[in-house]
């Protein structure tokens, strides 16, 4: 069985990304560390692949960071969260004279192929993942190949070896729900995206925690998840809003989903916020363009990008740093989609 880059890293007592950059004779690695890695490679008989072969130090070569969008046919490109995050990354990289390139794919297989091609060609060897998903093959590939990457979102696996930037989404979900509780709501539902996405799973956990604190029993039928933005009204949402015991308020994991929910309310004759209060997340342009405007949790998307780029460059230039975890604060922006509940 072929020796892996992780085995070399373990023997040399360094990170896999340090081995990868040693193979490329990256000038950011000290000569002492390079020699230690080379001894481990020789001892194990490790043969660097094409992507790892370098032709000597190239300090003036462009330093390019790959920015990976989630696999999507079009939803990711329409979500302002990703656009704002990329803006923060680009702003910081430009200031430090680094290049960033956006990497996309319609599905995981296509996305992985693009990443492999970039790595094999030596065009990119460090990445920022704009999302965190359970059992993600892209993160698995980056980790197993010893490639340096920064995750925006909480790490699902390899948490102690992963640099990640996140909000406290459990706390944010809890605070959003408690806001509705303070307005007198007791029948509060949750509408989220795919729970395999770590941010949505955490916001749902925060929602459930807040209900428990306020001695409200979470109802399974009040907790809906929709993997993608629907073209037509999902029957589950329509049924919930037309039920005799319908919720009076809903916590929604994303402004885009909240806009879709507002459309459903319009179709079935529910008035916002008189009949239903809505609080969502991201505080995007959509939150300000809807009528009524959405109360939303601002997760500071641009700052997430800035912090991700900062940590990436810091770890590129100081490869022996321990994996860093950064929490970016959030805040509530009150608008017109929520009101105190009054029984009719």
């Amino acid at each position: 069985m072929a020796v892996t880059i992780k085995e070399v890293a373990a023997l040399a007592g360094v990170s896999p990304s340090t081995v990868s950059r040693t193979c490329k004779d990256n000038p950011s690695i000290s000569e002492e560390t390079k020699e230690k890695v080379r001894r481990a490679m020789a001892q194990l008989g490790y043969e660097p692949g094409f992507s790892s072969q370098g032709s000597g130090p190239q300090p003036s070569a462009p330093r390019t960071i790959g920015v990976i969008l989630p696999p999507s046919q079009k939803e990711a490109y329409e979500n302002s969260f990703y656009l704002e995050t990329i803006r923060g990354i680009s702003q910081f990289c430009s200031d430090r004279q680094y290049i960033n390139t956006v990497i996309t794919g319609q599905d995981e297989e296509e996305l992985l192929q693009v990443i492999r091609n970039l790595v094999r060609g030596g065009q990119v060897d460090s990445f920022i993942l704009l999302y965190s998903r359970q059992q993600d093959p892209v993160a698995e590939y980056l980790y197993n190949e010893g490639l340096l990457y920064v995750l925006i979102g909480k790490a699902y696996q390899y948490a102690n070896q992963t640099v990640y930037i996140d909000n406290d989404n459990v706390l944010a979900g809890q605070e959003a729900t408690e806001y509705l509780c303070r307005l007198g709501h007791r029948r509060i539902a949750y509408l989220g995206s795919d729970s395999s996405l770590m941010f949505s799973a955490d916001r749902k956990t925060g929602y459930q925690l807040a209900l428990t604190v306020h001695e409200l029993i979470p109802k399974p039928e009040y907790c809906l998840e929709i993997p993608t933005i629907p073209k037509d009204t999902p029957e589950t949402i329509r049924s919930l809003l037309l039920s005799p015991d319908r919720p009076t308020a809903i916590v929604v994991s994303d402004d885009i989903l909240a806009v879709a929910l507002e459309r459903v309310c319009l179709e079935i004759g529910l008035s916002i916020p008189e009949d239903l209060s809505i609080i969502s997340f991201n505080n995007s342009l959509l939150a300000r363009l809807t009528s009524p405007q959405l109360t939303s949790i601002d997760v500071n998307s641009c700052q997430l990008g800035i912090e991700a780029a900062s940590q990436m460059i810091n770890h590129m230039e100081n490869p022996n740093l321990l994996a860093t975890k950064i929490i970016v604060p959030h805040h509530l922006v009150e608008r017109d989609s929520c009101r105190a509940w009054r029984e009719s």
Side-chain angles (χ1 to χ4, degrees), residues 159-196:
N160 208 40
Q161 294 85 41
T162 302
V163 182
Y164 68 83
I165 317 297
D166 198 14
N167 306 111
D168 187 337
N169 282 300
V170 173
L171 179 61
Q174 183 177 357
E175 289 179 352
T177 309
E178 288 179 343
Y179 175 76
L180 296 172
C181 289
R182 290 196 300 272
L183 291 175
H185 294 277
R186 293 297 176 266
R187 301 197 305 274
I188 304 171
Y190 176 82
L191 175 61
S193 51
D194 190 344
S195 61
S196 68

Side-chain angles (χ1 to χ4, degrees), residues 278-299:
I278 299 174
I279 184 170
S280 63
F281 287 81
N282 291 348
N283 191 34
S284 65
L285 178 63
L286 287 175
R288 303 191 295 276
L289 292 179
T290 56
S291 181
Q293 293 184 330
L294 287 168
T295 293
S296 187
I297 302 287
D298 193 326
V299 298

Side-chain angles (χ1 to χ4, degrees), residues 212-253:
T212 302
V213 168
H214 287 268
E215 299 182 345
L216 301 173
I217 300 174
K219 298 181 179 181
E221 64 271 23
Y222 271 21
C223 205
L224 304 180
E225 293 177 344
I226 301 174
T228 58
I229 304 302
K231 293 181 180 178
D232 302 312
T233 303
E235 190 54 40
T236 50
I237 296 179
R238 183 185 292 273
S239 297
L240 176 63
L241 295 181
L242 290 175
S243 65
D245 194 32
R246 67 169 179 82
T248 63
I250 299 185
V251 177
V252 187
S253 69

